[in-house]
Structure formats: structure tokens, C-alpha cells
Amino acid sequence: MRQRRTHLRTAVTAAVALGIGLSAVPAQARTPARPPAPGIENCTATACHFDLPPGTYDVRVTLGGDLASSTAIGGETRRALLPETAAPAGGRTVRGFTVNVRTPEGEPLGAQGTPGLDLTLGGTAPALAGIRVTPARHTRQILLVGDSTVCDQPGDPYSGWGQRLPQYLREGLSVANYADSGESTVSYLGNPLLWDAVRPLIRRGDLVLIQLAHNDKTTDGPAYRANLEALVAGVRERGGEPVLVTPVVRRWFNTDGTLDNDTALLVNGLGVDHPAVIRSVAADRDVPLIDLTARTKELVESLGVEGSKALYLYNEKRDNTHTSVHGATVYANLVREELLNLRLVPKGSVRVE
């Protein structure tokens, strides 16, 4: 009996080496067949739904049809996952992206959302020829800790820059957006559904972008600094890489067309200059810094009083703090540029088209 088992093992090893089929191998020696990856049978002309548990998934799409097409893909809570992509008439274009599926699917303190993965097909002439969804195996995360200017906003016309960031990333790099409306450094650290829930999700090598300032209106300077330092330390204890992000400016002009005032530049009623404190902590703790305050100030001033209205919700809500979809997209692109400039992500993981 022992001799027969030895012969069987030898035959299996030889067959694998030669690429020969193993139809004669007993059933228990075969590798169980994996269920097929969810595909286009889960899609309509405008949307796809996949019954999948929370996790991170690679999505590979084939775009195109008989006519020239141009397709954009969104998903979950209004996230931009793939920018508008053209395919010639009769041609096919293949693209991939990685998506984070979680519950709640948007803001951590928001609605639960729909279980599974939901995708929407948009663009000027959408055409989906094929799709394959598989669990991501080797994915690096970009986790976002922030407020309403960053979060996955649930309703139009609002949009956070973190909501628009995924479209700039290629397959293998995902965004897990845990920004939440109304949060300050105090409330984010103090709520067990926020920092206590996010911190265990950080894996070695993950990036954690931290932008909290807009709601620290009554936080004094020492407390604000200590809170930022606590967030940085918590990320590093998990093996992640913290990145401090100064807040986007408020669209609040002086009479001379500049934004050099406390309201625009996030100086609170106690005189705490939030961007200055963030820059100081970044320098003292050797933390990469994305100076979004400086980048957005330069852009808003260059566009002027009228041209900058489109970045914010001024026309819809007389709101000079929260961004429109257009503004959030522009600001997400600034973040993409800084991730590359600081060499926090490799060039090959970021879309340039």
C-alpha cells in the first residue's frame, strides 16, 4: 500500500512538471475549482451590483462597442473610480482599479449604504463590454482621516476631495476614506467609531493622510498640536506612514483679491493658525507634508473672485467652504501631484492620462 502511494505521488509530480492533465488522479488529490469571478451578468446598461462582503477588490473592465464610446465609472457613495475613458468604434480599451468596500460605505457615522459593491456607468457615451471583479491580493491602502471637505459626501452637489481621489489611482492602490463631516482633531480622537475603529485597519506600508482643522474652532494651540502628534504616533505604531495635510482654504477674499485673512486661512477664534501648526508638527516629527492650504490658496487667487466660484458651492448654496464636484476633482488632482512630488507612491500607480 505504501509503495502504491509512492508511485502515485511520483506520477502526480511528473504530470505537473510536464503540464499533463490529471484526469486519473483521485478527486481528493485535485485542487477544488474556484467559483467564477463576478462578471458582466451583474450589470445593466447603467450600473453593476455584486453581492460581495466588505473588503478590497480589483476591478478589470473592458470598455467599447460597435460605436465610438467614452465611459466613466463611479461607485459606492458617489466615488469617482475611473475617469472618462475613450474607446474607438469597434475597439476595446482595458482598464483596472481597486475599490474599498466597507460598512458604512461612506462616512463612518453616516448611513450604512447598500451591501456589496455597486458601480455606476457614466460618461458621454458609456459602453461596457466586460468586467471582472476579484479579491485584491497585494494592495496598498491610502486611508483618509478628515472632515467634510475630504469625506465621501452622500448627496449632490457636495463632494469631498477624498471622494474624487480614487480615479487617479491604478489597480493595486486603494483609497479607504474614513473622513467624516463635522469632525475636529478632538472629536475624531474621542469617538470610538472613528479613530479607534480606523487605527486597527492600518497595515504596514499604508499611507494615512490626515486633514483635520476646519472644525477645531475652539481647540487651543497646545491641544491641537498634541492631537496631531497623537494621530501621527498612532499611525506609526501600526507600521503605517502618516502624511499631514493642511486644510483647503475657504473662498473668502480681501478687497484686494487675496486670501490673506483668518477666515480663508483657517486661523481660529483663539488665534491658532492651523496650517502653521500642521507644518510645524510635520517638520518636528519628520512627517511628509502636503501643503494643500498653499496649493489651494494659489489656485483660488489665480482664478479670482468670479472664476473661483465654480470650485465651491457658492452658486448653489452660497457656501465658500465646501467644494463642488468640479472643485473636489481639482483639489484631488493637487493631492495626486503632491503624492508624486513627495515620492509617496510610485509613478506607475497613478494615472496620468
Side-chain angles (χ1 to χ4, degrees), residues 148-186:
S148 58
T149 65
V150 185
C151 75
D152 287 350
Q153 288 280 1
D156 186 67
Y158 293 87
S159 185
W161 63 254
Q163 199 166 21
R164 309 298 294 175
L165 183 61
Q167 67 185 313
Y168 293 117
L169 307 179
R170 297 185 186 275
E171 187 176 339
L173 187 59
S174 70
V175 173
N177 191 351
Y178 287 91
D180 194 77
S181 293
E183 305 303 338
S184 65
T185 58
V186 176

PDB file of all heavy atoms in Angstrom, residues 148-186:
ATOM      1  N   SER A 148     -15.479  67.226   6.414  1.00  0.00           N
ATOM      2  CA  SER A 148     -16.431  67.265   5.296  1.00  0.00           C
ATOM      3  C   SER A 148     -15.813  67.692   3.978  1.00  0.00           C
ATOM      4  O   SER A 148     -16.386  67.451   2.913  1.00  0.00           O
ATOM      5  CB  SER A 148     -17.598  68.201   5.630  1.00  0.00           C
ATOM      6  OG  SER A 148     -17.127  69.513   5.911  1.00  0.00           O
ATOM      7  N   THR A 149     -14.658  68.346   4.002  1.00  0.00           N
ATOM      8  CA  THR A 149     -14.010  68.733   2.751  1.00  0.00           C
ATOM      9  C   THR A 149     -13.248  67.574   2.126  1.00  0.00           C
ATOM     10  O   THR A 149     -12.757  67.684   1.015  1.00  0.00           O
ATOM     11  CB  THR A 149     -13.037  69.919   2.966  1.00  0.00           C
ATOM     12  OG1 THR A 149     -11.959  69.521   3.813  1.00  0.00           O
ATOM     13  CG2 THR A 149     -13.767  71.107   3.572  1.00  0.00           C
ATOM     14  N   VAL A 150     -13.161  66.451   2.861  1.00  0.00           N
ATOM     15  CA  VAL A 150     -12.432  65.265   2.409  1.00  0.00           C
ATOM     16  C   VAL A 150     -13.362  64.083   2.167  1.00  0.00           C
ATOM     17  O   VAL A 150     -13.122  63.246   1.296  1.00  0.00           O
ATOM     18  CB  VAL A 150     -11.374  64.853   3.461  1.00  0.00           C
ATOM     19  CG1 VAL A 150     -10.517  63.694   2.962  1.00  0.00           C
ATOM     20  CG2 VAL A 150     -10.483  66.031   3.847  1.00  0.00           C
ATOM     21  N   CYS A 151     -14.445  63.988   2.903  1.00  0.00           N
ATOM     22  CA  CYS A 151     -15.231  62.754   3.013  1.00  0.00           C
ATOM     23  C   CYS A 151     -15.990  62.380   1.744  1.00  0.00           C
ATOM     24  O   CYS A 151     -16.103  63.157   0.797  1.00  0.00           O
ATOM     25  CB  CYS A 151     -16.203  62.875   4.176  1.00  0.00           C
ATOM     26  SG  CYS A 151     -17.625  63.952   3.851  1.00  0.00           S
ATOM     27  N   ASP A 152     -16.523  61.156   1.753  1.00  0.00           N
ATOM     28  CA  ASP A 152     -17.438  60.687   0.713  1.00  0.00           C
ATOM     29  C   ASP A 152     -18.808  61.297   0.991  1.00  0.00           C
ATOM     30  O   ASP A 152     -19.620  60.732   1.739  1.00  0.00           O
ATOM     31  CB  ASP A 152     -17.542  59.157   0.720  1.00  0.00           C
ATOM     32  CG  ASP A 152     -16.302  58.469   0.169  1.00  0.00           C
ATOM     33  OD1 ASP A 152     -15.433  59.157  -0.395  1.00  0.00           O
ATOM     34  OD2 ASP A 152     -16.204  57.235   0.303  1.00  0.00           O
ATOM     35  N   GLN A 153     -19.066  62.450   0.414  1.00  0.00           N
ATOM     36  CA  GLN A 153     -20.323  63.156   0.649  1.00  0.00           C
ATOM     37  C   GLN A 153     -21.486  62.364   0.057  1.00  0.00           C
ATOM     38  O   GLN A 153     -21.437  61.940  -1.102  1.00  0.00           O
ATOM     39  CB  GLN A 153     -20.267  64.547   0.015  1.00  0.00           C
ATOM     40  CG  GLN A 153     -19.364  65.534   0.731  1.00  0.00           C
ATOM     41  CD  GLN A 153     -20.030  66.139   1.956  1.00  0.00           C
ATOM     42  OE1 GLN A 153     -21.168  65.812   2.301  1.00  0.00           O
ATOM     43  NE2 GLN A 153     -19.313  67.029   2.621  1.00  0.00           N
ATOM     44  N   PRO A 154     -22.569  62.172   0.819  1.00  0.00           N
ATOM     45  CA  PRO A 154     -23.663  61.329   0.342  1.00  0.00           C
ATOM     46  C   PRO A 154     -24.563  61.975  -0.704  1.00  0.00           C
ATOM     47  O   PRO A 154     -25.209  61.270  -1.480  1.00  0.00           O
ATOM     48  CB  PRO A 154     -24.455  61.026   1.616  1.00  0.00           C
ATOM     49  CG  PRO A 154     -24.169  62.188   2.521  1.00  0.00           C
ATOM     50  CD  PRO A 154     -22.751  62.597   2.222  1.00  0.00           C
ATOM     51  N   GLY A 155     -24.624  63.317  -0.736  1.00  0.00           N
ATOM     52  CA  GLY A 155     -25.608  63.952  -1.609  1.00  0.00           C
ATOM     53  C   GLY A 155     -25.057  65.059  -2.470  1.00  0.00           C
ATOM     54  O   GLY A 155     -24.208  65.846  -2.023  1.00  0.00           O
ATOM     55  N   ASP A 156     -25.543  65.129  -3.697  1.00  0.00           N
ATOM     56  CA  ASP A 156     -25.241  66.211  -4.620  1.00  0.00           C
ATOM     57  C   ASP A 156     -25.818  67.521  -4.045  1.00  0.00           C
ATOM     58  O   ASP A 156     -26.890  67.485  -3.437  1.00  0.00           O
ATOM     59  CB  ASP A 156     -25.882  65.873  -5.966  1.00  0.00           C
ATOM     60  CG  ASP A 156     -25.512  66.850  -7.063  1.00  0.00           C
ATOM     61  OD1 ASP A 156     -24.345  66.869  -7.443  1.00  0.00           O
ATOM     62  OD2 ASP A 156     -26.409  67.596  -7.501  1.00  0.00           O
ATOM     63  N   PRO A 157     -25.147  68.657  -4.197  1.00  0.00           N
ATOM     64  CA  PRO A 157     -23.969  68.940  -5.021  1.00  0.00           C
ATOM     65  C   PRO A 157     -22.637  68.837  -4.286  1.00  0.00           C
ATOM     66  O   PRO A 157     -21.608  69.196  -4.829  1.00  0.00           O
ATOM     67  CB  PRO A 157     -24.221  70.384  -5.463  1.00  0.00           C
ATOM     68  CG  PRO A 157     -24.894  71.009  -4.269  1.00  0.00           C
ATOM     69  CD  PRO A 157     -25.767  69.924  -3.691  1.00  0.00           C
ATOM     70  N   TYR A 158     -22.666  68.349  -3.043  1.00  0.00           N
ATOM     71  CA  TYR A 158     -21.446  68.304  -2.241  1.00  0.00           C
ATOM     72  C   TYR A 158     -20.499  67.201  -2.716  1.00  0.00           C
ATOM     73  O   TYR A 158     -20.928  66.138  -3.190  1.00  0.00           O
ATOM     74  CB  TYR A 158     -21.795  68.060  -0.769  1.00  0.00           C
ATOM     75  CG  TYR A 158     -22.525  69.206  -0.125  1.00  0.00           C
ATOM     76  CD1 TYR A 158     -23.918  69.291  -0.200  1.00  0.00           C
ATOM     77  CD2 TYR A 158     -21.843  70.209   0.544  1.00  0.00           C
ATOM     78  CE1 TYR A 158     -24.601  70.346   0.388  1.00  0.00           C
ATOM     79  CE2 TYR A 158     -22.517  71.264   1.135  1.00  0.00           C
ATOM     80  CZ  TYR A 158     -23.887  71.329   1.056  1.00  0.00           C
ATOM     81  OH  TYR A 158     -24.565  72.376   1.625  1.00  0.00           O
ATOM     82  N   SER A 159     -19.210  67.442  -2.533  1.00  0.00           N
ATOM     83  CA  SER A 159     -18.215  66.419  -2.833  1.00  0.00           C
ATOM     84  C   SER A 159     -16.927  66.748  -2.080  1.00  0.00           C
ATOM     85  O   SER A 159     -16.528  67.912  -1.999  1.00  0.00           O
ATOM     86  CB  SER A 159     -17.935  66.349  -4.338  1.00  0.00           C
ATOM     87  OG  SER A 159     -17.065  65.279  -4.639  1.00  0.00           O
ATOM     88  N   GLY A 160     -16.290  65.722  -1.505  1.00  0.00           N
ATOM     89  CA  GLY A 160     -15.003  65.894  -0.847  1.00  0.00           C
ATOM     90  C   GLY A 160     -13.875  65.455  -1.760  1.00  0.00           C
ATOM     91  O   GLY A 160     -14.077  64.596  -2.627  1.00  0.00           O
ATOM     92  N   TRP A 161     -12.670  66.014  -1.558  1.00  0.00           N
ATOM     93  CA  TRP A 161     -11.580  65.651  -2.461  1.00  0.00           C
ATOM     94  C   TRP A 161     -11.201  64.173  -2.338  1.00  0.00           C
ATOM     95  O   TRP A 161     -10.759  63.551  -3.302  1.00  0.00           O
ATOM     96  CB  TRP A 161     -10.379  66.565  -2.295  1.00  0.00           C
ATOM     97  CG  TRP A 161      -9.656  66.594  -0.986  1.00  0.00           C
ATOM     98  CD1 TRP A 161      -9.707  67.588  -0.051  1.00  0.00           C
ATOM     99  CD2 TRP A 161      -8.721  65.630  -0.473  1.00  0.00           C
ATOM    100  NE1 TRP A 161      -8.883  67.295   1.018  1.00  0.00           N
ATOM    101  CE2 TRP A 161      -8.255  66.102   0.782  1.00  0.00           C
ATOM    102  CE3 TRP A 161      -8.229  64.422  -0.943  1.00  0.00           C
ATOM    103  CZ2 TRP A 161      -7.340  65.403   1.564  1.00  0.00           C
ATOM    104  CZ3 TRP A 161      -7.315  63.718  -0.164  1.00  0.00           C
ATOM    105  CH2 TRP A 161      -6.881  64.199   1.069  1.00  0.00           C
ATOM    106  N   GLY A 162     -11.419  63.595  -1.145  1.00  0.00           N
ATOM    107  CA  GLY A 162     -11.141  62.170  -0.991  1.00  0.00           C
ATOM    108  C   GLY A 162     -12.073  61.295  -1.804  1.00  0.00           C
ATOM    109  O   GLY A 162     -11.730  60.161  -2.161  1.00  0.00           O
ATOM    110  N   GLN A 163     -13.246  61.817  -2.099  1.00  0.00           N
ATOM    111  CA  GLN A 163     -14.249  61.116  -2.905  1.00  0.00           C
ATOM    112  C   GLN A 163     -13.836  61.042  -4.364  1.00  0.00           C
ATOM    113  O   GLN A 163     -14.214  60.126  -5.090  1.00  0.00           O
ATOM    114  CB  GLN A 163     -15.573  61.869  -2.761  1.00  0.00           C
ATOM    115  CG  GLN A 163     -16.833  61.131  -3.110  1.00  0.00           C
ATOM    116  CD  GLN A 163     -18.046  61.885  -2.585  1.00  0.00           C
ATOM    117  OE1 GLN A 163     -17.990  63.090  -2.317  1.00  0.00           O
ATOM    118  NE2 GLN A 163     -19.145  61.182  -2.418  1.00  0.00           N
ATOM    119  N   ARG A 164     -13.038  61.995  -4.795  1.00  0.00           N
ATOM    120  CA  ARG A 164     -12.626  62.081  -6.191  1.00  0.00           C
ATOM    121  C   ARG A 164     -11.224  61.521  -6.432  1.00  0.00           C
ATOM    122  O   ARG A 164     -10.802  61.353  -7.577  1.00  0.00           O
ATOM    123  CB  ARG A 164     -12.667  63.542  -6.657  1.00  0.00           C
ATOM    124  CG  ARG A 164     -13.961  64.271  -6.373  1.00  0.00           C
ATOM    125  CD  ARG A 164     -15.143  63.663  -7.076  1.00  0.00           C
ATOM    126  NE  ARG A 164     -15.042  63.795  -8.521  1.00  0.00           N
ATOM    127  CZ  ARG A 164     -15.908  63.260  -9.392  1.00  0.00           C
ATOM    128  NH1 ARG A 164     -16.934  62.543  -8.944  1.00  0.00           N
ATOM    129  NH2 ARG A 164     -15.741  63.425 -10.686  1.00  0.00           N
ATOM    130  N   LEU A 165     -10.497  61.241  -5.359  1.00  0.00           N
ATOM    131  CA  LEU A 165      -9.115  60.780  -5.483  1.00  0.00           C
ATOM    132  C   LEU A 165      -8.959  59.411  -6.142  1.00  0.00           C
ATOM    133  O   LEU A 165      -8.005  59.205  -6.914  1.00  0.00           O
ATOM    134  CB  LEU A 165      -8.457  60.779  -4.100  1.00  0.00           C
ATOM    135  CG  LEU A 165      -6.979  60.387  -4.034  1.00  0.00           C
ATOM    136  CD1 LEU A 165      -6.123  61.354  -4.853  1.00  0.00           C
ATOM    137  CD2 LEU A 165      -6.502  60.334  -2.584  1.00  0.00           C
ATOM    138  N   PRO A 166      -9.853  58.426  -5.897  1.00  0.00           N
ATOM    139  CA  PRO A 166      -9.611  57.080  -6.451  1.00  0.00           C
ATOM    140  C   PRO A 166      -9.440  57.039  -7.965  1.00  0.00           C
ATOM    141  O   PRO A 166      -8.715  56.171  -8.476  1.00  0.00           O
ATOM    142  CB  PRO A 166     -10.852  56.292  -6.007  1.00  0.00           C
ATOM    143  CG  PRO A 166     -11.311  56.982  -4.770  1.00  0.00           C
ATOM    144  CD  PRO A 166     -11.033  58.445  -5.005  1.00  0.00           C
ATOM    145  N   GLN A 167     -10.081  57.933  -8.700  1.00  0.00           N
ATOM    146  CA  GLN A 167      -9.994  57.893 -10.155  1.00  0.00           C
ATOM    147  C   GLN A 167      -8.576  58.126 -10.672  1.00  0.00           C
ATOM    148  O   GLN A 167      -8.265  57.788 -11.814  1.00  0.00           O
ATOM    149  CB  GLN A 167     -10.928  58.926 -10.770  1.00  0.00           C
ATOM    150  CG  GLN A 167     -10.525  60.369 -10.491  1.00  0.00           C
ATOM    151  CD  GLN A 167     -11.518  61.372 -11.014  1.00  0.00           C
ATOM    152  OE1 GLN A 167     -11.962  61.275 -12.156  1.00  0.00           O
ATOM    153  NE2 GLN A 167     -11.895  62.331 -10.172  1.00  0.00           N
ATOM    154  N   TYR A 168      -7.720  58.709  -9.832  1.00  0.00           N
ATOM    155  CA  TYR A 168      -6.348  58.998 -10.251  1.00  0.00           C
ATOM    156  C   TYR A 168      -5.384  57.846  -9.955  1.00  0.00           C
ATOM    157  O   TYR A 168      -4.190  57.949 -10.259  1.00  0.00           O
ATOM    158  CB  TYR A 168      -5.845  60.267  -9.565  1.00  0.00           C
ATOM    159  CG  TYR A 168      -6.560  61.520 -10.020  1.00  0.00           C
ATOM    160  CD1 TYR A 168      -7.318  62.273  -9.140  1.00  0.00           C
ATOM    161  CD2 TYR A 168      -6.481  61.930 -11.350  1.00  0.00           C
ATOM    162  CE1 TYR A 168      -7.976  63.425  -9.557  1.00  0.00           C
ATOM    163  CE2 TYR A 168      -7.144  63.080 -11.776  1.00  0.00           C
ATOM    164  CZ  TYR A 168      -7.886  63.814 -10.871  1.00  0.00           C
ATOM    165  OH  TYR A 168      -8.539  64.947 -11.295  1.00  0.00           O
ATOM    166  N   LEU A 169      -5.887  56.763  -9.371  1.00  0.00           N
ATOM    167  CA  LEU A 169      -5.019  55.669  -8.948  1.00  0.00           C
ATOM    168  C   LEU A 169      -5.286  54.420  -9.785  1.00  0.00           C
ATOM    169  O   LEU A 169      -6.427  54.116 -10.128  1.00  0.00           O
ATOM    170  CB  LEU A 169      -5.259  55.358  -7.473  1.00  0.00           C
ATOM    171  CG  LEU A 169      -5.158  56.554  -6.520  1.00  0.00           C
ATOM    172  CD1 LEU A 169      -5.431  56.108  -5.097  1.00  0.00           C
ATOM    173  CD2 LEU A 169      -3.799  57.228  -6.629  1.00  0.00           C
ATOM    174  N   ARG A 170      -4.238  53.700 -10.074  1.00  0.00           N
ATOM    175  CA  ARG A 170      -4.354  52.473 -10.848  1.00  0.00           C
ATOM    176  C   ARG A 170      -4.634  51.286  -9.933  1.00  0.00           C
ATOM    177  O   ARG A 170      -4.551  51.376  -8.703  1.00  0.00           O
ATOM    178  CB  ARG A 170      -3.072  52.227 -11.649  1.00  0.00           C
ATOM    179  CG  ARG A 170      -2.768  53.293 -12.689  1.00  0.00           C
ATOM    180  CD  ARG A 170      -1.540  52.907 -13.509  1.00  0.00           C
ATOM    181  NE  ARG A 170      -1.147  53.979 -14.413  1.00  0.00           N
ATOM    182  CZ  ARG A 170      -1.664  54.162 -15.622  1.00  0.00           C
ATOM    183  NH1 ARG A 170      -2.601  53.348 -16.061  1.00  0.00           N
ATOM    184  NH2 ARG A 170      -1.243  55.150 -16.388  1.00  0.00           N
ATOM    185  N   GLU A 171      -4.924  50.156 -10.574  1.00  0.00           N
ATOM    186  CA  GLU A 171      -5.163  48.918  -9.846  1.00  0.00           C
ATOM    187  C   GLU A 171      -3.964  48.596  -8.948  1.00  0.00           C
ATOM    188  O   GLU A 171      -2.822  48.716  -9.345  1.00  0.00           O
ATOM    189  CB  GLU A 171      -5.384  47.791 -10.851  1.00  0.00           C
ATOM    190  CG  GLU A 171      -5.798  46.473 -10.245  1.00  0.00           C
ATOM    191  CD  GLU A 171      -6.101  45.436 -11.302  1.00  0.00           C
ATOM    192  OE1 GLU A 171      -6.371  45.823 -12.466  1.00  0.00           O
ATOM    193  OE2 GLU A 171      -6.058  44.235 -10.981  1.00  0.00           O
ATOM    194  N   GLY A 172      -4.261  48.207  -7.698  1.00  0.00           N
ATOM    195  CA  GLY A 172      -3.217  47.891  -6.749  1.00  0.00           C
ATOM    196  C   GLY A 172      -3.045  48.925  -5.665  1.00  0.00           C
ATOM    197  O   GLY A 172      -2.326  48.695  -4.689  1.00  0.00           O
ATOM    198  N   LEU A 173      -3.715  50.068  -5.810  1.00  0.00           N
ATOM    199  CA  LEU A 173      -3.658  51.131  -4.808  1.00  0.00           C
ATOM    200  C   LEU A 173      -5.081  51.597  -4.528  1.00  0.00           C
ATOM    201  O   LEU A 173      -5.756  52.094  -5.438  1.00  0.00           O
ATOM    202  CB  LEU A 173      -2.795  52.290  -5.316  1.00  0.00           C
ATOM    203  CG  LEU A 173      -2.478  53.431  -4.346  1.00  0.00           C
ATOM    204  CD1 LEU A 173      -1.745  52.917  -3.108  1.00  0.00           C
ATOM    205  CD2 LEU A 173      -1.652  54.496  -5.043  1.00  0.00           C
ATOM    206  N   SER A 174      -5.551  51.414  -3.302  1.00  0.00           N
ATOM    207  CA  SER A 174      -6.942  51.727  -2.987  1.00  0.00           C
ATOM    208  C   SER A 174      -7.039  52.905  -2.033  1.00  0.00           C
ATOM    209  O   SER A 174      -6.092  53.218  -1.302  1.00  0.00           O
ATOM    210  CB  SER A 174      -7.637  50.514  -2.348  1.00  0.00           C
ATOM    211  OG  SER A 174      -7.126  50.277  -1.046  1.00  0.00           O
ATOM    212  N   VAL A 175      -8.194  53.554  -2.038  1.00  0.00           N
ATOM    213  CA  VAL A 175      -8.496  54.638  -1.096  1.00  0.00           C
ATOM    214  C   VAL A 175      -9.573  54.146  -0.140  1.00  0.00           C
ATOM    215  O   VAL A 175     -10.637  53.698  -0.571  1.00  0.00           O
ATOM    216  CB  VAL A 175      -8.986  55.900  -1.826  1.00  0.00           C
ATOM    217  CG1 VAL A 175      -9.458  56.950  -0.815  1.00  0.00           C
ATOM    218  CG2 VAL A 175      -7.895  56.473  -2.708  1.00  0.00           C
ATOM    219  N   ALA A 176      -9.284  54.217   1.148  1.00  0.00           N
ATOM    220  CA  ALA A 176     -10.269  53.912   2.180  1.00  0.00           C
ATOM    221  C   ALA A 176     -10.545  55.228   2.920  1.00  0.00           C
ATOM    222  O   ALA A 176      -9.745  55.661   3.746  1.00  0.00           O
ATOM    223  CB  ALA A 176      -9.744  52.845   3.133  1.00  0.00           C
ATOM    224  N   ASN A 177     -11.663  55.850   2.594  1.00  0.00           N
ATOM    225  CA  ASN A 177     -11.945  57.208   3.055  1.00  0.00           C
ATOM    226  C   ASN A 177     -12.752  57.178   4.348  1.00  0.00           C
ATOM    227  O   ASN A 177     -13.956  56.952   4.350  1.00  0.00           O
ATOM    228  CB  ASN A 177     -12.714  57.970   1.971  1.00  0.00           C
ATOM    229  CG  ASN A 177     -12.806  59.459   2.271  1.00  0.00           C
ATOM    230  OD1 ASN A 177     -12.449  59.911   3.350  1.00  0.00           O
ATOM    231  ND2 ASN A 177     -13.300  60.225   1.314  1.00  0.00           N
ATOM    232  N   TYR A 178     -12.070  57.454   5.462  1.00  0.00           N
ATOM    233  CA  TYR A 178     -12.716  57.487   6.766  1.00  0.00           C
ATOM    234  C   TYR A 178     -12.891  58.908   7.286  1.00  0.00           C
ATOM    235  O   TYR A 178     -13.058  59.126   8.492  1.00  0.00           O
ATOM    236  CB  TYR A 178     -11.937  56.627   7.765  1.00  0.00           C
ATOM    237  CG  TYR A 178     -12.115  55.152   7.501  1.00  0.00           C
ATOM    238  CD1 TYR A 178     -11.236  54.464   6.670  1.00  0.00           C
ATOM    239  CD2 TYR A 178     -13.190  54.448   8.032  1.00  0.00           C
ATOM    240  CE1 TYR A 178     -11.404  53.118   6.398  1.00  0.00           C
ATOM    241  CE2 TYR A 178     -13.375  53.100   7.767  1.00  0.00           C
ATOM    242  CZ  TYR A 178     -12.475  52.432   6.943  1.00  0.00           C
ATOM    243  OH  TYR A 178     -12.662  51.090   6.673  1.00  0.00           O
ATOM    244  N   ALA A 179     -12.862  59.879   6.381  1.00  0.00           N
ATOM    245  CA  ALA A 179     -13.189  61.251   6.762  1.00  0.00           C
ATOM    246  C   ALA A 179     -14.680  61.339   7.089  1.00  0.00           C
ATOM    247  O   ALA A 179     -15.495  60.615   6.511  1.00  0.00           O
ATOM    248  CB  ALA A 179     -12.831  62.205   5.630  1.00  0.00           C
ATOM    249  N   ASP A 180     -15.025  62.247   7.995  1.00  0.00           N
ATOM    250  CA  ASP A 180     -16.405  62.350   8.459  1.00  0.00           C
ATOM    251  C   ASP A 180     -16.764  63.814   8.672  1.00  0.00           C
ATOM    252  O   ASP A 180     -15.970  64.586   9.229  1.00  0.00           O
ATOM    253  CB  ASP A 180     -16.571  61.571   9.773  1.00  0.00           C
ATOM    254  CG  ASP A 180     -18.021  61.355  10.134  1.00  0.00           C
ATOM    255  OD1 ASP A 180     -18.664  60.483   9.528  1.00  0.00           O
ATOM    256  OD2 ASP A 180     -18.522  62.058  11.046  1.00  0.00           O
ATOM    257  N   SER A 181     -17.948  64.187   8.243  1.00  0.00           N
ATOM    258  CA  SER A 181     -18.376  65.585   8.333  1.00  0.00           C
ATOM    259  C   SER A 181     -18.407  66.075   9.776  1.00  0.00           C
ATOM    260  O   SER A 181     -18.847  65.366  10.683  1.00  0.00           O
ATOM    261  CB  SER A 181     -19.768  65.751   7.721  1.00  0.00           C
ATOM    262  OG  SER A 181     -19.740  65.521   6.337  1.00  0.00           O
ATOM    263  N   GLY A 182     -17.940  67.316   9.969  1.00  0.00           N
ATOM    264  CA  GLY A 182     -18.050  67.967  11.263  1.00  0.00           C
ATOM    265  C   GLY A 182     -16.980  67.606  12.274  1.00  0.00           C
ATOM    266  O   GLY A 182     -17.025  68.087  13.412  1.00  0.00           O
ATOM    267  N   GLU A 183     -15.998  66.793  11.875  1.00  0.00           N
ATOM    268  CA  GLU A 183     -15.026  66.324  12.857  1.00  0.00           C
ATOM    269  C   GLU A 183     -13.847  67.275  13.024  1.00  0.00           C
ATOM    270  O   GLU A 183     -13.358  67.874  12.067  1.00  0.00           O
ATOM    271  CB  GLU A 183     -14.505  64.936  12.472  1.00  0.00           C
ATOM    272  CG  GLU A 183     -15.582  63.884  12.261  1.00  0.00           C
ATOM    273  CD  GLU A 183     -16.497  63.677  13.466  1.00  0.00           C
ATOM    274  OE1 GLU A 183     -16.084  64.019  14.602  1.00  0.00           O
ATOM    275  OE2 GLU A 183     -17.624  63.186  13.268  1.00  0.00           O
ATOM    276  N   SER A 184     -13.387  67.366  14.264  1.00  0.00           N
ATOM    277  CA  SER A 184     -12.172  68.096  14.632  1.00  0.00           C
ATOM    278  C   SER A 184     -11.147  67.063  15.097  1.00  0.00           C
ATOM    279  O   SER A 184     -11.450  65.868  15.194  1.00  0.00           O
ATOM    280  CB  SER A 184     -12.469  69.076  15.757  1.00  0.00           C
ATOM    281  OG  SER A 184     -12.848  68.364  16.940  1.00  0.00           O
ATOM    282  N   THR A 185      -9.946  67.506  15.418  1.00  0.00           N
ATOM    283  CA  THR A 185      -8.983  66.567  15.993  1.00  0.00           C
ATOM    284  C   THR A 185      -9.512  66.008  17.309  1.00  0.00           C
ATOM    285  O   THR A 185      -9.287  64.835  17.642  1.00  0.00           O
ATOM    286  CB  THR A 185      -7.617  67.237  16.234  1.00  0.00           C
ATOM    287  OG1 THR A 185      -7.781  68.365  17.105  1.00  0.00           O
ATOM    288  CG2 THR A 185      -6.974  67.675  14.925  1.00  0.00           C
ATOM    289  N   VAL A 186     -10.228  66.842  18.079  1.00  0.00           N
ATOM    290  CA  VAL A 186     -10.766  66.419  19.370  1.00  0.00           C
ATOM    291  C   VAL A 186     -11.817  65.338  19.187  1.00  0.00           C
ATOM    292  O   VAL A 186     -11.765  64.269  19.820  1.00  0.00           O
ATOM    293  CB  VAL A 186     -11.368  67.623  20.123  1.00  0.00           C
ATOM    294  CG1 VAL A 186     -12.018  67.173  21.431  1.00  0.00           C
ATOM    295  CG2 VAL A 186     -10.306  68.679  20.396  1.00  0.00           C
TER     296      VAL A 186
END
